[in-house]
Amino acid sequence: MTETRPTGPREDRQGPHPLTQYVQRLTQRVRAFDRRHPLVWDLLLTGFFVIAAGTDSSGDGWRTVAPDPDVPPALVAAMSLGLSLPLLWRRRHPMAVLTVMVAVGLANSASGAMLQASMLQLIVLFNIALRLPLKTLGTAGAMMTLPLVVGVIHFPEDSFDAQIGPFLWGYAMVALFGIAVRSRQDYTQALVERAQRLEVERDQQARLATAAERTRIAREMHDIIGHNLSVITGLADGGSYAAAKSPERAAQALEAIGTTSRQALSELRRLLDVLSDEPPGTAELAPQPALADLGQLIDGVRAAGLPVHGTVHGHPGSVPAGRQLAVYRVVQEALTNTLKHGGPDATATVDVTYGPDGVTVDITDTGTGGLTAAGHGRGLTGMRERTSLYDGTLEAGPLPRPHGGWRVHLHIPLPKDSETP
């Protein structure tokens, strides 16, 4: 029989206990206040121990444990101040403070007063373990042992190890506690620095990704808008020329302008939908142009007034979609440049060859403005960027005279078996 337990909050709550959280918040507040006002905390701590030491020395309490209860009160008062007042500088000059307190401690042990204020040296020892190099602890421990040895020699009440051993254990425990706190602080600081470093690296990666995405978007918009506007410009020029002689051809040109404009708007809308803040799946989806669309591209350029002759050798076969898009965009950009800069009598030829090692395309024209066009804009740069994505080669330059013109040679290899298409 299966027991069904009611659903609800788990009894074994995860995360810190409320009391632990309260202690952590309180500790953080105290540390924050200490960082902002270190002198206030030092004055409070020092004032408390000065009053405590003064109270002990002004009464008869110290005489109950002192080997010599007849020590002059003035000396007792001076030693109380010497063992408590230097705590004010314990964080800035811990070794100097310890030196002063050890000197007073020697007088304390030699006189037989044995004031309990000598235990305040442990606070200074903690600060040494927390702030100074660890090798300083050996020197500090030796210095603090001297008053003990003097006291044992002058007033031997018990065996040597029984009188010194407990104090040495106390020194060791305080030193270890200071080392533990220091290790914790160093570890926390290392985590904070690592988090800051990772945050900086994350921001740098985000900026690099943003720059790369902006470059990709700019390239896509240049290819889409630039080509279609060039086609529209060619159609408009041809339509205005034919309006006076052949109204029918002018009407055909206007119809082609409308079709090309709608196509450009549709492609631009799809691109902008991807960049919008709408949830995934709401953007209009459409396949990217492929090698099978080269015929439609060439027909559109012909309609714009540029005679284009296209030849195809072989079959696309298993050319990946990314490589097909790159070839399409390069052919599109090359024909767009011819439309814009080739001149009124320019013609173009597109020769596509599918081989076992990849796709090779030659785009040539008989225009006169190719060299000028190559030095401006993003066209040639975009073609080279697309080609380099697939380890291809791109050559672009003027054809030799006397015929002249411009030639773009593209070769994109097929992916190896270990590559992802």
Side-chain angles (χ1 to χ4, degrees), residues 87-109:
L87 290 176
L88 184 62
W89 299 276
R90 73 192 186 283
R91 289 199 277 195
R92 287 172 289 178
H93 309 287
M95 284 302 296
V97 170
L98 183 63
T99 302
V100 172
M101 296 179 73
V102 167
V104 178
L106 288 172
N108 179 42
S109 298

Side-chain angles (χ1 to χ4, degrees), residues 23 28 117 131 184 237 239 266 372 396 399 403:
V23 173
Q28 291 173 357
R131 293 178 172 84
R184 177 70 177 180
D237 292 340
S266 178
T372 304
L399 293 171
H403 301 288

Side-chain angles (χ1 to χ4, degrees), residues 157-199:
E157 298 178 356
D158 203 344
S159 62
F160 185 83
D161 58 340
Q163 287 188 265
I164 295 184
F167 293 98
L168 293 180
W169 276 109
Y171 296 166
M173 294 300 295
V174 171
L176 290 176
F177 180 64
I179 293 173
V181 174
R182 180 177 185 168
S183 301
R184 177 70 177 180
Q185 290 180 351
D186 292 343
Y187 177 71
T188 303
Q189 182 64 27
L191 290 179
V192 171
E193 292 177 355
R194 182 173 181 270
Q196 292 175 347
R197 187 166 58 252
L198 290 176
E199 185 176 355

Side-chain angles (χ1 to χ4, degrees), residues 365-396:
D365 64 54
T366 59
T368 57
L371 184 60
T372 304
H376 304 280
R378 293 186 47 86
L380 187 57
T381 302
M383 288 192 288
R384 294 191 186 282
E385 289 175 352
R386 289 186 182 277
T387 305
S388 64
L389 286 175
Y390 301 103
D391 297 325
T393 57
L394 179 75
E395 300 174 4

Side-chain angles (χ1 to χ4, degrees), residues 282-330:
T282 59
E284 182 181 354
L285 301 178
Q288 291 278 19
L291 294 175
D293 300 314
L294 284 177
Q296 183 179 355
L297 171 67
I298 292 175
D299 291 340
V301 174
R302 286 199 192 105
L306 175 65
V308 181
H309 177 69
T311 57
V312 177
H313 305 279
H315 189 271
S318 59
V319 179
R323 286 169 166 78
Q324 293 193 37
L325 176 62
V327 173
Y328 181 93
R329 293 302 189 196
V330 170

Side-chain angles (χ1 to χ4, degrees), residues 181-417:
V181 174
R182 180 177 185 168
S183 301
R184 177 70 177 180
Q185 290 180 351
D186 292 343
Y187 177 71
T188 303
Q189 182 64 27
L191 290 179
V192 171
E193 292 177 355
R194 182 173 181 270
Q196 292 175 347
R197 187 166 58 252
L198 290 176
E199 185 176 355
V200 171
E201 293 177 358
R202 181 201 62 191
D203 294 341
Q204 290 176 346
Q205 292 294 333
R207 286 193 292 268
L208 290 175
T210 301
E213 186 64 11
R214 290 179 63 182
T215 301
R216 187 191 68 81
I217 293 171
R219 185 170 59 233
E220 289 292 335
M221 295 189 70
H222 173 272
D223 292 341
I224 293 172
I225 299 176
H227 170 73
N228 286 287
L229 287 180
S230 298
V231 172
I232 290 172
T233 302
L235 290 171
D237 292 340
S240 61
Y241 177 78
K245 298 182 178 180
S246 178
E248 294 181 358
R249 296 196 60 183
Q252 293 175 357
L254 291 175
E255 183 179 354
I257 289 174
T259 302
T260 305
S261 300
R262 284 188 293 271
Q263 181 182 358
L265 286 175
S266 178
E267 293 182 2
L268 181 60
R269 188 178 297 112
R270 281 196 294 270
L271 181 60
L272 294 179
D273 285 343
V274 174
L275 301 177
S276 66
D277 295 331
E278 295 179 1
T282 59
E284 182 181 354
L285 301 178
Q288 291 278 19
L291 294 175
D293 300 314
L294 284 177
Q296 183 179 355
L297 171 67
I298 292 175
D299 291 340
V301 174
R302 286 199 192 105
L306 175 65
V308 181
H309 177 69
T311 57
V312 177
H313 305 279
H315 189 271
S318 59
V319 179
R323 286 169 166 78
Q324 293 193 37
L325 176 62
V327 173
Y328 181 93
R329 293 302 189 196
V330 170
V331 174
Q332 182 186 56
E333 181 60 31
L335 294 178
T336 300
N337 286 337
T338 303
L339 265 175
K340 293 192 292 186
H341 309 288
D345 298 326
T347 61
T349 300
V350 178
D351 187 4
V352 182
T353 301
Y354 302 106
D357 59 340
V359 183
T360 303
V361 182
D362 276 294
I363 308 105
T364 58
D365 64 54
T366 59
T368 57
L371 184 60
T372 304
H376 304 280
R378 293 186 47 86
L380 187 57
T381 302
M383 288 192 288
R384 294 191 186 282
E385 289 175 352
R386 289 186 182 277
T387 305
S388 64
L389 286 175
Y390 301 103
D391 297 325
T393 57
L394 179 75
E395 300 174 4
L399 293 171
R401 295 181 183 277
H403 301 288
W406 191 262
R407 175 177 179 263
V408 175
H409 175 78
L410 168 70
H411 176 75
I412 293 185
L414 292 176
K416 300 178 181 178
D417 294 339

